[in-house]
Every structure is written in structure tokens, then in C-alpha cells.
Amino acid sequence: MSALSEVRIVSVKIPEEVYKEMVLRIPEGDRSNFIREAIIEKLEKTPRADKLLVLEERMGKIEQELGEVRKYLADLELLTYQHGTINPHTFCIDETDHKIADYLLHYKGATTPELAEYTKTNRWLILNRLRKIQRNSKKQFGKAIIEYYAGEKSGKKKAWWINEELIQE
């Protein structure tokens, strides 16, 4: 941006205080150069849009590839675990989680209100804990050890079920 080829005229609105300060500090013949240099200096500090776009595309690509690597790792990890070797208690963080796991292991499935009554807590806490166990197990093994099924199964509707293929007996 050192050589000025074609010159364009730009009109700028600035606050009165800024204008008064500029009039005090910058002599009348130098104001145009001052404003031009200020704009050029600011532009040099601001990243170019095309470079940002390229960086965003690269970041997106890297995130996608990282997701694929994680999926492959989860698939590999799932293949290395034999049928029925995952202990649901490994995803429990406290006594409430252990009670949930015990209940699901015993009854194979339960509704949120049933679990809330069994653990003597509210169903929202139970729901959050079930989702956390589901998410953590899916993240670690590529497959969740508990699943929510809205339809009817074994006489229960809208219940959480333990994945019997994955758990230890």
C-alpha cells in the first residue's frame, strides 16, 4: 500500500470532540495525509478477509478430520472389547449414579419417574444423570451403554434401557 495509484475521495463523519482535537493537533494542510495514514495503519493491523476465510476453511477441515479420527478410535476401541465386558458402574460418579446403574442392571430398564422414586431424588436430576452416563459411555466406547426408547418395550413406555450386548453379567 505504499504507492498510491488512483485516489478516491472518502467522506467521513466523526464526533465533534474528535474533530476539535484533530484541528488542535494537526495543521490544516496535513490533515488529509494524517487521515490517509491512519486508515492505512489500521488496515495493516486488520487481517484480510480472504486470509481469514482460508484459515476458517482449514480449521473446519481439521475439525472434520479430528472427528473422523475420534470415530475410528471409538470403532477400534469397541472392537477390542469383547461382548459383555463393560461395567456400567465405570461411568458413575456418585451414589445416585450407582443406584441408577444397579436398578437398570437388575430390571434392564426403567422410566425416569421409577428411577427418581428409587433414588429418592427428582426426575430432572435423574434425566441429567442418565444423559451424562449415555454421553460418556458413547464418547468412550463409541456406543452408549444405556439408551432411551420412547416406544413400548417389556411393558414400559418412554424408558431407559441398558444395552445388554455391552454390559458385564
Side-chain angles (χ1 to χ4, degrees):
M1 283 192 205
S2 58
L4 297 174
S5 53
E6 268 189 69
V7 179
R8 301 278 184 207
I9 297 173
V10 177
S11 171
V12 180
K13 291 183 181 181
I14 56 174
E16 182 74 23
E17 303 83 40
V18 174
Y19 177 76
K20 285 179 181 177
E21 191 68 30
M22 185 177 70
V23 168
L24 279 174
R25 293 185 186 191
I26 313 298
E28 194 171 329
D30 295 339
R31 290 182 195 152
S32 184
N33 285 336
F34 176 80
I35 294 170
R36 183 181 312 109
E37 289 169 7
I39 291 171
I40 291 170
E41 185 179 317
K42 184 74 172 177
L43 283 173
E44 286 172 351
K45 291 180 182 176
T46 306
R48 292 182 53 167
D50 56 342
K51 286 185 180 178
L52 282 175
L53 189 62
V54 168
L55 288 173
E56 284 176 354
E57 286 173 1
R58 283 181 61 195
M59 289 252 323
K61 212 173 178 183
I62 289 169
E63 286 171 352
Q64 181 183 354
E65 289 171 358
L66 184 62
E68 287 177 24
V69 168
R70 282 189 178 146
K71 182 188 173 296
Y72 294 138
L73 286 173
D75 289 347
L76 280 173
E77 210 167 296
L78 193 61
L79 290 174
T80 58
Y81 281 87
Q82 283 75 38
H83 168 78
T85 58
I86 298 171
N87 181 354
H89 288 281
T90 56
F91 304 102
C92 300
I93 55 169
D94 65 4
E95 194 57 39
T96 304
D97 287 357
H98 286 292
K99 284 182 180 179
I100 292 169
D102 288 338
Y103 193 93
L104 288 173
L105 283 168
H106 186 266
Y107 294 103
K108 305 296 179 212
T111 62
T112 312
E114 287 173 338
L115 289 166
E117 186 179 319
Y118 177 73
T119 58
K120 295 175 180 42
T121 57
N122 68 53
R123 58 191 186 92
W124 292 108
L125 175 78
I126 297 300
L127 180 62
N128 289 335
R129 295 299 181 87
L130 287 164
R131 287 179 176 157
K132 189 180 242 178
I133 292 169
Q134 181 184 37
R135 186 176 54 248
N136 289 342
S137 63
K138 190 169 189 166
K139 191 187 295 180
Q140 191 167 340
F141 293 112
K143 207 169 188 185
I145 60 162
I146 58 170
E147 291 290 338
Y148 177 75
Y149 181 66
E152 189 169 338
K153 181 177 174 181
S154 301
K156 293 183 190 294
K157 284 183 182 175
K158 297 181 178 178
W160 289 84
W161 299 91
I162 197 118
N163 185 336
E164 294 182 49
E165 298 172 0
L166 299 176
I167 62 164
Q168 288 178 339
E169 291 298 330

